Every structure is written in C-alpha cells, then in structure tokens.
C-alpha cells in the first residue's frame, strides 16, 4: 500500500519570538521541570527544586515564569508542543513516512504515554465541560492530524465524527480513571486504541 503524503499542519499556538539563547535557556528549565514532574508529580515540584536541578538561582526561574502556576502552564504548553513536533515531523512510524494506519497506531500509543505522564497538569488545566472544545487549538490540531490519516487510510463516511470518537478515548480524565480506578496499564490502553483504529480503518 502506497503511503499518501500527509499535508503539512502548523503547530498550534506558535512560539513567540525570543532570542535563540533565551529559548534554549527556557527550554532547559522546562526540560528539568518535566523530569521532576515525571519523578515526583506536579503537586510536589517547587520553584526551588527546579532552580537547584537546573543549576540556576531561584530568581532566574521566577523572572522567566512569574510564579509556580506560570511555570506549570508553560510546562504543559512545552510538553504539548514537543508531542506535536513528534507526530508532525518526528521519525516514523509516529512521524511522516509510514503507512497511515501504522501512524495512527503509533499516535495513540504515544498520546496515551504522554498524557498519563503529564496527567496532573492536564487535569489541573481541564476546562468546564461546556467550554472544553470551544477554544482548544491543541485538540483541533490533533483532530486535523487524525482525520488526515483516516482519509489517507481510505476511510469513508463521517470522518469528522469518527475522529472525535477516537480522540474521546484519549481524554485525560478517562485515561486517568482507567489507569487508576480500573488498574489498566498503558500497554492495555494502547492495545485498545489499536483495536479501535483497526475497526475504523477496516484492518481488523
């Protein structure tokens, strides 16, 4: 099966222009914060810890992010953009160059791993139900990506609705419930996503 070229999609919420050294320093602080969040949970990470782990003064972290809430918002944005870059321009099968069904499988597995890793940040930033989809550029980007791959895989019918149905299984509150209350490991969740993809694309 030939692999159709996936149209280029612009990252949601492009970064504001900064000097290259400022961008590197900011990204280094966020990478350190991401590691601490992964190890200890967002609720247990302080500005002092980030500064110490990054080898900078606490004032540097406050000047860059304002306060702890600002750091957490920036970290969530940073993590989302890294994930976007991975599925838009990273190596196959998550990135371009693979069969669209293989990319859908890889996308779901990567999304589950990413969202479980940052679940406390996502849950803290969760919008009220009546506002959840009204202004959500990251979700819109994911929807365009999944819809593009479904079309490339030859899926017919209401692709928009099929896309939203697939993405609903990747909502952080649901993943959190299934992993904590139901005890489902990430590999089982990824296998479930793969089963849904195969049924939707006719591969199953």
């Amino acid at each position: 099966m030939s692999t159709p070229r996936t149209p280029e999609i612009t990252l949601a919420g492009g970064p504001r222009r900064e000097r290259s050294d400022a961008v590197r320093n900011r990204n280094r602080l966020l990478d350190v914060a991401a590691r601490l969040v992964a190890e200890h949970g967002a609720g247990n990470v302080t500005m002092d810890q980030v500064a110490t782990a990054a080898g900078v003064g606490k004032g540097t972290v406050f000047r860059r992010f304002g306060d702890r809430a600002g750091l957490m918002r920036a970290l969530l944005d940073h993590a989302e953009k890294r994930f976007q870059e991975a599925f838009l321009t990273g190596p196959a099968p998550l990135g371009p160059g693979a069969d669209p069904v293989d990319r859908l499988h890889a996308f779901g597995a990567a999304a589950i791993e990413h969202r479980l890793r940052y679940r406390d940040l996502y849950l803290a930033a969760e919008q009220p139900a009546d506002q959840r989809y009204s202004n959500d550029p990251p979700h819109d980007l994911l929807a365009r990506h999944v819809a593009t791959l479904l079309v490339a895989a030859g899926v017919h019918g209401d692709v928009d609705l099929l896309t939203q149905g697939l993405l609903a299984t990747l909502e952080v509150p649901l993943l959190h419930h299934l992993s904590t209350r139901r005890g489902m490991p990430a590999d089982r969740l990824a296998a479930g996503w793969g089963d849904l993809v195969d049924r939707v694309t006719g591969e199953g």
Side-chain angles (χ1 to χ4, degrees):
M1 177 178 180
S2 62
T3 304
R5 180 179 176 80
T6 302
E8 181 180 356
I9 303 176
T10 303
L11 290 178
R16 62 189 178 128
R17 292 183 178 276
E18 294 182 279
R19 296 193 325 270
S20 59
D21 59 335
V23 171
R24 283 194 300 272
N25 291 337
R26 182 176 188 274
N27 287 343
R28 184 168 67 87
L29 289 172
L30 289 171
D31 286 340
V32 168
R35 176 173 57 80
L36 291 173
V37 165
E39 292 173 356
H40 307 293
N44 299 313
V45 174
T46 67
M47 301 288 265
D48 280 334
Q49 286 176 309
V50 173
T52 300
V56 301
K58 185 169 67 172
T60 298
V61 184
F62 275 98
R63 283 193 298 274
R64 173 56 67 177
F65 302 107
D67 55 18
R68 186 180 179 282
L71 171 64
M72 293 299 138
R73 286 193 299 270
L75 179 56
L76 183 57
D77 183 64
H78 179 67
E80 188 67 32
K81 284 185 171 62
R82 287 290 176 91
F83 177 56
Q84 291 171 2
E85 289 168 358
F87 69 74
L88 291 176
T89 62
L94 181 57
D99 177 88
V101 175
D102 292 338
R103 289 191 71 190
L104 283 166
H105 277 267
F107 170 80
I112 289 166
E113 188 278 332
H114 166 76
R115 291 182 164 193
L116 288 177
R117 180 181 183 186
Y118 295 103
R119 76 178 83 184
D120 42 0
L121 291 176
Y122 279 102
L123 290 171
E126 186 77 9
Q127 296 276 14
D130 61 342
Q131 301 175 24
R132 189 170 298 161
Y133 305 108
S134 59
N135 182 25
D136 190 353
H139 178 84
D140 294 343
L141 175 64
L142 299 187
R144 291 198 302 274
H145 179 66
V146 170
T148 297
L149 292 177
L150 288 176
V151 171
V155 172
H156 301 289
D158 194 334
V159 172
D160 280 346
L161 194 55
L162 291 171
T163 295
Q164 296 301 329
L166 284 170
L167 288 179
T169 67
L170 301 179
E171 292 285 347
V172 176
L174 176 61
L175 292 175
H176 177 65
H177 168 75
L178 293 176
S179 64
T180 58
R181 299 291 179 85
R182 300 291 301 278
M184 296 185 185
D187 57 354
R188 180 179 175 185
L189 298 173
W193 163 270
D195 184 41
L196 284 174
V197 166
D198 287 344
R199 291 170 187 272
V200 169
T201 59
E203 297 287 324

